């Protein structure tokens, strides 16, 4: 196990190094740069600014500069926002994380419960209903569900705020602040859960169907265990095991932010910031964020590989 | 612990090769007994027929702009109303279906094919093959898709590829970089399957790699693939609208379901003109659900573990 | 499984967000709306034809304030306005986003401002003199001016502001640099420690000398003033990084001071007691970050003020809400199709004219956008003092005339109905940014051009940067653009001069352009610009397309609201009060 880990960690660094070079080149090759979008500038001024920002240097040199700074923990200043990149992350990522954590948790809980029940009652009306609902949620664009819920719950019924994270101008602190945030995050969390729950439910359902058909379940029933016990101790545990490996993949998603949801609900998250920065070609921010997500992705795959081994000891780590 | 697949192998082995065609026939027969699956299939076929033949009967196929008929609710001359430029929504929905269905199915199949092939290879051979494939997958997973799309766009534009074809090329390219997720899943399944008793039996019997892979392992992951593929069909139909959004998809005025539904992306159209978004929305929904029901039926028939 | 196997699927999420990147305009405007009928159709439908009056010509006053949502009723000393996305760089001259500009326009006052016609009016400067050779500008400051921290504002602060803009590390887009201040280049090069052209006569008087006359200099120079004591404390030549740390702690001299900035959510202001006109009427002001659709916030009373595209439908809906005042507004910008004059087919004036005649601009910009626009024929907005229709060809849609012009230019109909000249087919490669309006344009233009025998090849880009770099590469025939907000008429003409429109080189134009800037007498400039517009209207180095029309809707409780086309709401905001 420990040799496996150290081997994987070395691979991880090699991959991250290769990824950083690749990503840097990708951003540099994307048509247009930070300067070209500003139509107010004359060609001479543009050249001057490219010089100030070092955008006219050769690609590899720019990469070298970025890399050596990054190693010293300096991810630079965002060109558009005029702030240190790390400070910006700190300001936005946690907001995204909040939404993601809550909705991921809800998604899993609902998916497990609904998945198990509809597997148990395969082809019943409940199962069919769930299936239709899932496909409906999956074939509708997310902006659509968002608009619909805003229209109903915020504009017409005025139960929930239409967007944002705080009541505008509010100075609430402590419990009151918490309540306000919960109030505001309800709508986006509902939509994110709706969007994610479908495929996961299907996944659990099909896992569960497989497990229920296994001989050891028959054995358990034959032993005279109650149906509930058979279902929730024997069957569910085995159906959940493969899903554990999915946990690692959630890691980057937890911090990555959700572009559409954040936009529709005016949520001050990193997804929106990334999108904007991409439009502006704000290289330091783009590079910093993408590398951050890359690190999480690689870590996530490692975690899921290890968990896979834990879930199914027959699978050898190598 | 005796697992069902174990028995299946035995059954298969005794029947041996001539079984193939009869197994296929058997599957069809089983499938045709599943009324739900058949109805799903019928709906899919209906969508195809409607979209590819339907517009031929419409008087509005030229998509002519008609400013006098802007944004009309459904009525006798325009069964599903007209859009912001006075074009017939029904005709456009059907025309849109041609592209959306083709693109959705094609890109789904391509991704599943690449992903499952690489995943199966990695999981089956393990060792160095696995290392190479999975490390490439790791690398690809870290690549942000947005700049990639824009670079593709710029290249296609540079090379003067006609806008009509760009979407297909981009889909192809995306499948080439989008396989890691599925590959990992298939690989995981493979890793666990190859340790099962029935595979050990296959090893003991001295079966060749190809036979082990295609006759024994792949049939076991087909159900998973079908579930994944059918689940993702909706996403890949909608994804076309994303490509169009980035200027990589179809050019207006050519309609697709995705870009038609996107056109309702504001409160006013959403509230006041449901006939703009309900037809494309319902088409996607119906297609997705029909394909999934059919896929479920198919899965039941093909899954060696299921005995219904 | 949940993560989805398709890269595409995850990309879905990315839909519809790039648009924000290119709009650098005032607050959030709901531009994407194509809507209800303006003409009565022959067939009967359940849809009622729109009212006969199209658009909004007169301000509309709220009919029923009791309908105002409770949230908005409760606010007594706070006004909330939506703003797309301020980033926190609130120091004028140093910000990269127009939204930050909206914030700093409340934090900082200018020496000179512009009125509704774009003409200069005094603000921090009481008066100004311009020398007879139009090279030296002298500003006389008002007495007792103070920064928001209570420190006095003097001519030294003004001199400091102009000076650091000439620093070699300055990376903003201030136009002061284009004025060629005497000694500015030497300072920038590091060969001089001061700028010789800037002279502080006494604490209330400062003058600046330019190398050549420029009529825009007065307003450009007369912009915001930075405190030397605050922003100049750590200043060393070539080192401006320290200013970044001060962006979120601005010391200004405008009507409001910054209370709190919550990234991605709000910018909170509180009235500045040292404001030269006296403390604003409303104690608190908030810019709330609102991306995309603002309807939901207007309908729930979360914002007090928002701008909308002037479609009949938007106007009807706003009026219907009952608690909003609605005022019409035309931004001071114009839209155009930039033609690639280096390409054979568009080099010929006749072809450009033919395209203009043959393009049904009224359908695209007026009918399809339901009255939220009008057709443009000159590079100036209808609200500019220089706007004229005298001697201007309206190029009304006339396909026959277009065909005639094309025939005359030697483009004759060849095989497949496509025109040819010397064996080359006439094709137009069009570039546009992805938007609903572009979709409409392409749909109509395709029909129009095909009818003329022109092959039309549209290409759409999701982000502005990609579009611009494609244009820079020269691989296009027509590209759709809109100018930013223009203050001086010369702003809208600069692109024909500085090489942005490649291949346009007309000595007559250059002469008139310089003439227009050489004098500050408005009447005389009007005459020059009329001549210039007639010239451009005939030559069509670009094809003029449209002027946008918007409406502003605001909470009926707010009084004294006016919106200037040039400075937005900043001008009247200090007077806004809640009744």
């Amino acid at each position: 196990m420990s040799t496996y880990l150290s081997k994987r960690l070395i691979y991880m660094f090699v991959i991250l190094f290769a990824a950083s070079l690749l990503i840097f080149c990708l951003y540099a090759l994307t048509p247009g740069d930070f300067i070209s979008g500003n139509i107010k500038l004359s060609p001479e001024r543009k050249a001057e600014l490219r010089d100030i920002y070092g955008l006219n240097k050769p690609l590899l040199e720019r990469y070298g500069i970025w890399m050596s700074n990054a190693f010293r923990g300096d991810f630079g200043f965002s060109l558009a926002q005029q702030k240190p990149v790390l400070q910006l992350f700190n300001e936005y990522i946690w907001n995204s994380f909040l939404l993601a954590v809550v909705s991921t948790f809800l998604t899993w809980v609902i998916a497990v419960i609904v998945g198990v029940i509809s597997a148990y009652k395969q082809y019943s009306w409940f199962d069919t209903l769930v299936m239709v609902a899932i496909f409906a949620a999956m074939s509708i664009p997310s902006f659509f569900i968002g608009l619909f819920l805003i229209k109903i719950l915020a504009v017409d019924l005025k139960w929930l705020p239409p967007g944002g994270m705080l009541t505008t101008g509010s100075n609430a602190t402590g419990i009151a602040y918490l309540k306000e945030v919960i109030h505001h995050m309800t709508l986006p969390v509902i939509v994110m859960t709706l969007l994610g729950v479908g495929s996961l439910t299907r996944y659990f359902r099909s896992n569960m169907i497989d497990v229920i058909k296994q001989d050891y379940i028959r054995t358990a029933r034959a032993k005279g265990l109650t149906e509930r016990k058979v279902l929730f101790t024997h069957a569910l545990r085995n159906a959940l095991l493969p899903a554990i490996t999915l946990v690692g993949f959630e890691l980057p998603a937890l911090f990555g932010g959700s572009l559409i949801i954040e936009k529709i609900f005016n949520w001050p998250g990193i997804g929106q910031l990334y999108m904007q920065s991409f439009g502006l070609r704000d290289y330091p921010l783009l590079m910093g964020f993408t590398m951050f997500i890359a690190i999480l992705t690689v870590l996530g795959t490692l975690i899921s590989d290890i968990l896979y081994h834990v879930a199914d000891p027959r699978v050898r780590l190598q | 612990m005796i697992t069902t697949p174990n028995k299946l192998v035995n059954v298969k082995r005794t029947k041996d090769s001539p079984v193939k065609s009869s197994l296929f026939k058997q599957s069809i027969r089983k499938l045709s007994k599943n009324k739900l699956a058949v109805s799903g299939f019928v709906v899919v076929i209906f969508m195809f027929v409607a979209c590819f033949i339907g517009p031929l009967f419409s008087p509005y196929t030229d998509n002519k702009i008609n400013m006098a008929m802007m944004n009309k609710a459904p009525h006798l001359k325009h069964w599903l109303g007209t859009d912001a430029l006075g074009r017939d929504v029904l005709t456009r929905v059907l025309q849109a279906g041609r592209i959306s269905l083709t693109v959705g199915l094609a890109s789904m199949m391509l991704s599943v094919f690449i992903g499952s092939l690489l995943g199966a290879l990695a999981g089956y051979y393990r060792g160095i093959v696995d290392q190479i494939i999975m490390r490439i997958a790791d690398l690809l997973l870290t690549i942000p898709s947005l700049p990639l799309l824009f670079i593709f766009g710029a290249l296609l534009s540079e090379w003067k590829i006609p806008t009509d074809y760009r979407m297909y090329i981009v889909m192809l390219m995306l499948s080439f970089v989008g396989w890691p997720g599925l590959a990992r899943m298939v690989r995981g399944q493979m890793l666990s399957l190859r340790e099962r008793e029935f595979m050990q039996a296959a090893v003991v019997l001295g079966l060749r790699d190809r036979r082990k892979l295609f006759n024994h392992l792949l049939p076991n992951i087909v159900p998973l693939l079908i579930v994944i593929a059918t689940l993702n069909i909706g996403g890949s139909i909608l994804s076309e609208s994303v490509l169009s959004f980035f200027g990589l998809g179809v050019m207006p005025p050519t309609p697709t379901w995705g870009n038609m539904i996107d056109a309702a992306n504001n409160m006013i159209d959403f509230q006041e003109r449901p006939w703009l978004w309900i037809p494309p929305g319902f088409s996607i929904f119906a297609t997705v659900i029909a394909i999934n029901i059919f896929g479920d039926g198919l899965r039941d028939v093909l899954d060696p573990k299921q005995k219904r | 499984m949940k993560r989805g196997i398709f890269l595409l699927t995850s990309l879905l999420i990315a839909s519809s967000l790039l648009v924000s990147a290119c709009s650098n305009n005032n607050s959030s405007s709901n531009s994407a709306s194509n809507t209800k009928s303006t003409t009565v159709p022959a067939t009967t439908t359940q849809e009622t034809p729109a009212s006969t009056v199209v658009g909004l010509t007169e301000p509309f006053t709220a009919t029923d304030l009791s309908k105002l949502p409770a949230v908005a009723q409760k606010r007594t000393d706070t006004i909330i306005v939506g703003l797309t996305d301020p980033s926190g760089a609130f120091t004028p001259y140093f910000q990269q986003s127009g939204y930050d500009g909206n914030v700093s326009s409340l934090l900082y006052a200018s020496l000179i401002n512009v009125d509704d016609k774009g003409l200069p009016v005094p603000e921090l400067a009481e008066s100004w003199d311009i020398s007879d050779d139009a090279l030296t500008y002298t500003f006389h400051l008002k007495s007792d001016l103070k920064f928001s921290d209570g420190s006095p504002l003097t001519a030294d602060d003004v001199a400091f502001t102009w000076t650091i803009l000439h620093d070699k590390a300055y990376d903003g887009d201030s136009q002061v640099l284009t004025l060629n201040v005497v000694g500015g280049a030497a300072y920038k090069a590091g060969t001089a420690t001061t700028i010789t052209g800037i002279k502080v006569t006494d604490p209330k008087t400062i003058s600046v000398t330019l190398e050549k006359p420029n009529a825009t200099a007065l307003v450009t120079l007369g912009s915001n003033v930075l405190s030397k004591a605050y922003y100049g404390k750590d200043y060393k030549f070539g080192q401006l990084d320290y200013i970044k740390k001060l962006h979120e702690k601005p010391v200004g001299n405008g009507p409001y001071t910054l209370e709190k900035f919550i990234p991605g959510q709000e910018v909170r202001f509180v009235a500045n007691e040292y404001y030269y006109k006296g403390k604003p009427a409303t104690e608190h002001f908030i810019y709330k970050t609102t991306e995309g659709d603002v309807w939901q916030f207007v309908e729930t009373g979360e914002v007090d003020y928002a701008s909308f595209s002037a479609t009949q439908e938007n106007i009807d809906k706003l009026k219907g809400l009952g608690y909003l005042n609605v005022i019409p507004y035309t931004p001071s910008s114009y839209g155009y199709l930039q033609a690639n004059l280096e390409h054979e087919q568009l080099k010929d004036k006749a072809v450009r004219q033919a395209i203009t005649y043959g393009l049904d601009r009224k359908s695209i910009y007026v009918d399809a956008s339901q009255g939220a626009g009008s057709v443009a024929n000159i590079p100036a907005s209808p609200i500019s003092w220089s706007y004229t229709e005298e001697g201007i060809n309206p190029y009304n849609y006339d396909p026959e005339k277009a065909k005639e012009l094309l025939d005359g230019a030697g483009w004759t109909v060849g095989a497949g109905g496509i025109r040819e000249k010397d064996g080359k087919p006439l094709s137009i490669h069009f570039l546009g940014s992805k938007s609903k309006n572009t979709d409409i344009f392409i749909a109509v233009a395709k029909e129009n051009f095909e009818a003329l025998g022109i092959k039309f090849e549209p290409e759409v880009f999701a982000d502005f940067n990609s579009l611009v770099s494609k244009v820079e590469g020269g691989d296009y025939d027509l590209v759709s653009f809109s100018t930013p907000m223009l203050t001086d008429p010369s702003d809208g003409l600069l692109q024909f001069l500085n090489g942005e429109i490649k291949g346009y080189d007309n000595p007559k134009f250059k002469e008139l352009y310089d003439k227009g800037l050489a004098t500050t007498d408005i009447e005389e400039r009007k005459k020059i610009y009329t001549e210039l517009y007639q010239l451009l209207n005939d030559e069509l180095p670009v094809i003029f397309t449209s002027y946008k029309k918007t409406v502003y809707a605001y909470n009926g409780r707010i009084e004294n609201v006016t919106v200037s086309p040039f400075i937005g709401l900043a001008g009247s905001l200090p007077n806004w009060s809640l009744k």
Side-chain angles (χ1 to χ4, degrees), chain C residues 297-474:
Chain C
F297 296 107
V298 171
E299 285 183 77
T300 51
E302 297 239 341
V303 298
D304 288 313
Y305 171 102
S307 91
F308 293 91
S309 186
T311 62
Q312 191 59 41
E313 200 163 41
N314 279 345
I315 294 167
D316 290 344
K317 186 165 171 182
L318 288 168
K319 284 181 176 172
L321 288 175
Y323 53 83
L324 297 168
N325 291 352
V326 190
I327 45 177
Y329 170 85
T330 306
S332 66
S333 61
Y334 65 90
Y336 60 96
L337 296 171
Q338 183 171 319
N340 192 336
L341 304 176
E342 288 172 330
H343 281 187
E344 194 53 42
Q345 66 266 42
L346 291 167
K347 227 180 221 167
D348 189 350
K349 180 171 100 178
V351 175
R352 301 196 298 268
Q353 287 178 336
I355 288 173
T356 317
Y357 274 119
L359 189 64
D360 189 355
R361 292 178 297 164
K362 189 175 164 292
S363 283
I364 301 171
Y365 299 107
V366 184
D367 297 344
S369 69
Q370 224 210 75
S374 56
V375 173
N377 286 300
I378 59 168
S381 156
I383 51 162
S384 164
W385 52 259
S386 67
Y387 181 81
T388 182
E389 282 174 15
E390 184 192 322
I392 298 296
N393 183 352
Y395 291 100
N396 289 327
Y397 179 53
D398 188 348
E400 291 316 310
K401 176 109 192 190
K403 284 178 192 161
E404 230 170 77
L405 279 165
L406 287 172
D407 286 337
W411 292 95
T412 46
V413 181
I418 302 291
R419 284 173 192 270
E420 299 173 344
K421 187 178 178 180
D422 308 328
K424 261 189 70 187
L426 182 52
S427 70
I428 297 282
H429 179 195
F430 167 84
L431 310 181
S433 337
K434 179 73 194 171
S435 77
K436 220 169 204 179
N437 294 333
T438 306
D439 288 356
I440 292 174
F441 174 86
I442 291 175
V444 178
K446 200 171 180 129
E447 267 190 46
N448 288 168
F449 286 157
E450 267 161 17
L452 296 182
I454 302 174
K455 200 172 158 211
F456 185 62
E457 295 165 332
E459 215 178 327
V460 166
F461 291 82
D463 92 336
F464 192 63
N465 244 310
S466 304
L467 176 72
V468 170
S469 64
K470 182 88 182 169
V471 173
E472 277 175 357

Side-chain angles (χ1 to χ4, degrees), chain B residues 176-190:
Chain B
F176 276 110
V177 292
W179 54 265
L182 178 66
R184 284 194 64 90
M185 213 179 296
V186 171
R187 168 184 174 266
Q189 199 78 14
M190 277 300 218

Side-chain angles (χ1 to χ4, degrees), chain B residues 32-306:
Chain B
S32 61
K33 272 190 214 139
N34 184 342
K35 284 203 193 87
L36 208 59
V38 170
S39 61
F41 187 70
V42 169
V43 172
V44 176
I45 295 298
F46 172 78
M47 294 304 279
F48 269 92
V49 170
C51 292
F52 283 87
I53 299 176
L56 302 180
F57 299 98
S58 158
Y60 305 107
T61 37
D62 52 358
N63 264 311
K64 261 245 175 294
I65 289 152
N66 185 351
M67 290 294 170
M69 290 300 293
M70 269 161 54
N71 286 319
K72 294 280 169 285
H75 57 279
L76 265 180
K77 284 186 98 174
H78 296 278
W79 294 353
L80 292 176
T82 60
D83 70 1
L85 288 170
R87 297 171 295 194
D88 184 55
V89 172
L90 176 61
T91 312
R92 281 175 70 78
V93 164
L94 294 178
Q95 288 174 336
R98 295 178 181 182
I99 292 175
S100 292
L101 286 172
T102 321
V103 165
L105 282 175
S107 84
M108 180 268 289
M109 283 180 191
L110 192 64
S111 294
V112 168
F113 175 74
I114 297 178
S116 56
L117 184 72
L118 289 172
L121 287 179
Y124 181 73
Y125 286 106
R126 303 197 299 194
I128 188 76
V129 179
D130 182 33
Q131 284 296 337
I132 293 173
I133 293 180
M134 287 335 280
R135 296 299 81 83
I136 293 176
D138 283 354
L139 189 63
L140 283 177
L141 276 174
T142 63
I143 305 277
S145 40
L146 221 50
L148 213 57
L149 271 184
F150 279 80
I151 294 170
F152 285 166
L155 284 179
L156 292 176
S157 170
E158 207 67 34
W159 295 335
K160 308 243 180 278
I161 310 267
T163 46
D164 298 351
Y165 300 119
R166 280 187 200 172
M167 186 174 50
Y168 301 101
I169 297 173
V170 172
M171 288 254 167
L172 198 78
M173 292 201 222
L174 285 181
S175 302
F176 276 110
V177 292
W179 54 265
L182 178 66
R184 284 194 64 90
M185 213 179 296
V186 171
R187 168 184 174 266
Q189 199 78 14
M190 277 300 218
L191 283 179
S192 127
L193 282 174
R194 81 193 302 284
E195 303 299 333
R196 296 267 174 93
E197 294 82 349
F198 74 93
M199 276 315 291
Q200 281 159 9
V203 173
V204 170
L205 286 168
L207 297 183
R208 267 172 303 146
D209 274 5
R210 239 199 20 223
R211 185 138 165 227
K212 277 192 279 186
L213 194 57
F214 290 102
N215 287 11
H216 299 296
L217 286 171
L218 274 180
N220 275 288
I221 58 164
V222 161
L224 175 81
L225 292 183
I226 289 176
V227 172
I228 293 171
T230 50
L231 270 179
N232 277 279
I233 190 92
S236 56
I237 288 177
L238 287 177
S239 71
E240 166 278 317
S241 77
V242 178
L243 288 185
S244 301
F245 177 82
F246 287 118
L248 296 167
V250 291
M251 279 296 140
T254 310
T256 64
W257 289 342
N259 70 24
M260 287 180 80
I261 209 169
D262 251 2
N265 191 356
N266 67 72
M267 268 294 182
I268 289 208
D269 278 333
F270 186 78
Q271 276 173 272
E272 314 283 329
R273 280 182 283 276
W275 64 88
L276 290 184
W277 53 265
I278 288 181
F282 181 77
S283 306
I284 298 178
F285 174 62
T287 309
V288 168
I289 207 159
I291 289 179
N292 273 283
I293 288 175
F294 177 63
D296 258 16
L298 203 62
R299 188 192 87 119
D300 289 349
V301 171
L302 295 183
D303 191 347
K305 284 171 280 182
Q306 300 241 351

Side-chain angles (χ1 to χ4, degrees), chain A:
Chain A
M1 186 75 180
S2 67
T3 49
Y4 171 77
L5 262 185
S6 53
K7 221 164 108 187
R8 274 301 293 264
L9 283 174
I10 293 169
Y11 280 137
M12 230 175 91
F13 280 107
V14 175
I15 285 169
L16 283 176
F17 185 75
S20 71
L21 183 62
L22 208 63
I23 294 168
F24 197 92
C25 294
L26 273 184
Y27 282 127
L29 288 173
T30 314
D33 64 18
F34 183 66
I35 313 294
S36 59
N38 191 340
I39 48 172
K40 278 199 286 185
L41 301 172
S42 65
E44 299 86 54
R45 181 70 182 150
K46 281 185 177 173
E48 235 173 68
L49 287 176
R50 286 195 175 110
D51 192 45
I52 291 178
Y53 295 135
L55 292 176
N56 49 3
K57 291 199 177 91
L59 184 64
L60 280 180
E61 190 183 336
R62 272 156 61 197
Y63 174 71
I65 295 172
W66 182 85
M67 203 57 189
S68 66
N69 285 339
F71 262 113
R72 277 181 274 127
D74 174 13
F75 287 86
F77 273 81
S78 149
L79 298 177
Q81 317 256 332
Q82 302 272 320
K83 278 192 228 178
V85 166
L86 291 180
Q87 183 193 337
L88 282 167
F89 287 175
N90 196 32
E91 282 170 1
Y92 287 88
I93 281 183
W94 298 112
N95 298 336
S96 294
F97 180 73
L98 183 65
L99 278 193
V101 153
V102 176
S103 61
T104 307
F105 176 75
L106 286 178
T107 306
W108 279 69
V109 170
I110 295 173
V112 168
I113 296 174
V114 176
V116 167
I117 298 177
S118 58
Y120 183 61
K121 303 189 171 173
Q122 203 185 352
Y123 305 116
S124 70
W125 61 267
F126 177 83
D127 186 32
T128 317
L129 208 70
V130 166
M131 196 164 74
V132 172
I134 286 169
F135 292 140
M138 281 197 317
S139 51
I140 297 170
S142 49
F143 77 80
F144 219 78
I145 304 181
L147 277 182
F148 182 72
L149 289 181
I150 288 175
K151 161 92 181 100
I152 303 291
L153 296 175
V155 176
D156 291 348
L157 297 171
K158 296 199 167 50
W159 286 351
L160 292 167
M165 193 171 150
L166 290 174
T167 308
T168 316
S170 140
N171 284 313
T173 47
I175 298 287
Y177 174 81
L178 202 70
K179 261 171 97 174
E180 222 172 71
V181 173
I182 291 174
H183 199 50
H184 280 79
M185 69 190 281
T186 311
L187 266 185
V189 164
I190 291 177
V191 175
M192 283 173 81
T193 309
L194 269 180
L195 291 174
V197 82
S199 47
L200 205 59
T201 307
R202 295 287 293 171
Y203 181 73
F204 283 128
R205 177 181 175 271
S206 84
N207 270 355
M208 198 66 185
I209 288 175
D210 278 356
V211 170
I212 289 178
K213 302 252 153 75
Q214 300 283 345
D215 295 337
Y216 56 83
I217 295 295
R218 213 180 309 148
T219 315
R221 281 193 182 128
K223 273 198 302 193
L225 292 180
T226 59
E227 198 55 29
R228 172 181 283 203
K229 194 147 191 201
V230 170
L231 214 56
F232 284 95
T233 42
H234 287 71
L236 183 59
R237 261 186 59 192
N238 283 290
L240 271 180
L241 278 178
I244 290 177
T245 57
L246 293 178
V247 172
F249 289 111
E250 298 279 1
L251 194 63
L254 287 181
F255 293 90
S258 158
L259 304 172
I260 287 207
I261 302 294
E262 286 172 11
K263 193 181 163 73
I264 295 173
F265 293 103
N266 255 295
W267 193 263
I270 191 80
Q272 276 200 51
L273 187 70
Y274 172 74
M275 205 56 217
Q276 256 172 37
S277 308
F278 185 79
L280 295 169
R281 307 288 189 272
D282 187 349
Y283 300 115
L285 200 150
L286 293 176
M287 217 28 224
F289 181 65
T290 313
M291 276 317 288
F292 174 64
I293 294 300
I295 292 170
L296 291 179
T297 309
V298 176
L299 264 181
T301 40
L302 178 62
I303 293 174
S304 80
D305 280 351
I306 292 171
L307 286 178
Y308 208 96
H309 172 71
V310 174
D312 191 348
R314 278 173 302 189
V315 176
R316 279 166 292 176
L317 292 172
Q318 30 170 282

